[in-house]
Amino acid sequence: MDRWIGKVAIVTGASSGIGATAVQALARAGMIVAGLARRTERVEELKKHLPPEAANRVHAIRCDVTSEESIVNAFGTVDRQLGGVDVLINNAGVSKLTCTLLTPGNGEDLRTVMDTNVMGLVLCSREAFQSMKRRQVAGHIVNINSILGHKYIGFPNLNIYGASKYAVTAITETLRNDLRNEGTKVKSISPGIVRTEMVPEGKQFENTPMLEADDIVGAILYALGTPPHVQVHEVIIKPVGELA
């Protein structure tokens, strides 16, 4: 990770879970980190858990990844204030467990999932690459995917979430081919179930093996630390004992 010291990382969905853990880990590793979130106060709160030097490298920037205007504005802020982005962690994601694909009146929920998990990821990747290209930077784009992007699992009420992650798998491959001569690496990290705020509380998952956010961030750091000629294109991580 030494070559990333002083470089700029953007983490979307930075207010909790994998995103919050990634912000802290990248700042500890010496990177300047822009944590993009709707709840910027929670990104600010993360600084309290970091040494002062690392905390000073964390910048909370408001961004709603369902809005193209918000994404463009956030990346513009990073360009102006931090000089541009070198690493993008496309972490923002959402599921809507209160409806199925066929639930009446579910249009807004379904669009929120697709706008967050698919369009938000694509638009953030577009803005990040344009920043890298302008500055002739061989950067990294890391897409936080899911095992549901590789196989269908019949979990109740996942509605369109699995389809959105299948899209991330296809988009990652498309980006890799589009950027294979640009020097920018593209990778997908696909975890099984991770103990985050996305997992509902209660007895439904009390005996389910789970990963921790640190497990996924460890894979991010590994992928970023590879030599320039090595591309870690796909990592699938499951907790021991997972049935899926």
Side-chain angles (χ1 to χ4, degrees), residues 199-212:
V199 178
E201 296 181 357
K203 294 184 178 181
Q204 180 181 358
F205 294 101
E206 65 180 356
N207 297 316
T208 302
M210 292 191 192
L211 298 163
E212 302 295 338

Side-chain angles (χ1 to χ4, degrees), residues 3-4 15 31 48 52 60 64-65 76 78-79 89-90 98 124 137 140 143 154 160 186-188 190 206-207 221 235:
R3 65 195 177 95
W4 296 111
S15 62
M31 295 196 75
K48 297 179 181 179
D64 177 356
V65 298
V78 172
D79 278 346
I89 312 297
N90 273 317
T98 56
C124 286
V137 166
H140 283 232
N143 296 329
I160 207 164
V186 183
K187 53 195 59 66
S188 162
S190 299
E206 65 180 356
N207 297 316
L221 296 177
V235 179

Side-chain angles (χ1 to χ4, degrees), residues 5 14 42 64 74 102 105 107 110 127 134-135 137 156 167 178 207:
I5 292 175
R42 296 185 64 169
D64 177 356
L102 303 178
L110 298 183
E127 295 303 302
R134 283 194 300 270
R135 295 153 42 242
V137 166
D178 285 350
N207 297 316

Side-chain angles (χ1 to χ4, degrees), residues 183-201:
T184 294
K185 299 183 185 182
V186 183
K187 53 195 59 66
S188 162
I189 296 178
S190 299
I193 192 166
V194 182
R195 198 183 315 276
T196 69
E197 292 180 7
M198 286 183 65
V199 178
E201 296 181 357

Side-chain angles (χ1 to χ4, degrees), residues 100 151 180-181:
T100 69
K151 62 184 294 187
R180 68 183 185 275
N181 296 319

Side-chain angles (χ1 to χ4, degrees), residues 47-215:
K47 297 182 182 183
K48 297 179 181 179
H49 305 285
L50 292 169
E53 183 182 2
N56 289 336
R57 290 193 290 269
V58 175
H59 303 265
I61 298 175
R62 191 183 187 286
C63 182
D64 177 356
V65 298
T66 67
S67 163
E68 181 173 5
E69 180 181 11
S70 183
I71 290 170
V72 171
N73 289 341
F75 276 78
T77 297
V78 172
D79 278 346
R80 291 190 304 274
Q81 295 184 2
L82 305 178
V85 57
D86 303 289
V87 171
L88 169 64
I89 312 297
N90 273 317
N91 167 72
V94 68
S95 63
K96 293 289 185 179
L97 299 178
T98 56
C99 72
T100 69
L101 284 178
L102 303 178
T103 301
N106 63 359
E108 183 176 354
D109 283 341
L110 298 183
R111 278 190 290 272
T112 295
V113 173
M114 294 302 287
D115 285 346
T116 302
N117 298 1
V118 180
M119 288 305 300
L121 180 144
V122 171
L123 295 173
C124 286
S125 298
R126 180 193 72 189
E127 295 303 302
F129 174 65
Q130 292 303 319
S131 176
M132 295 170 189
K133 185 176 181 179
R134 283 194 300 270
R135 295 153 42 242
Q136 297 183 314
V137 166
H140 283 232
I141 297 173
V142 182
N143 296 329
I144 303 302
N145 197 346
S146 169
I147 58 168
L148 296 177
H150 303 274
K151 62 184 294 187
Y152 171 76
I153 300 171
F155 289 153
N157 293 350
L158 274 177
N159 53 69
I160 207 164
Y161 181 82
S164 75
K165 292 302 184 178
Y166 262 87
V168 170
T169 300
I171 289 164
T172 301
E173 186 62 26
T174 301
L175 288 172
R176 184 187 69 81
N177 279 280
D178 285 350
L179 302 180
R180 68 183 185 275
N181 296 319
E182 301 285 352
T184 294
K185 299 183 185 182
V186 183
K187 53 195 59 66
S188 162
I189 296 178
S190 299
I193 192 166
V194 182
R195 198 183 315 276
T196 69
E197 292 180 7
M198 286 183 65
V199 178
E201 296 181 357
K203 294 184 178 181
Q204 180 181 358
F205 294 101
E206 65 180 356
N207 297 316
T208 302
M210 292 191 192
L211 298 163
E212 302 295 338
D214 282 332
D215 301 322

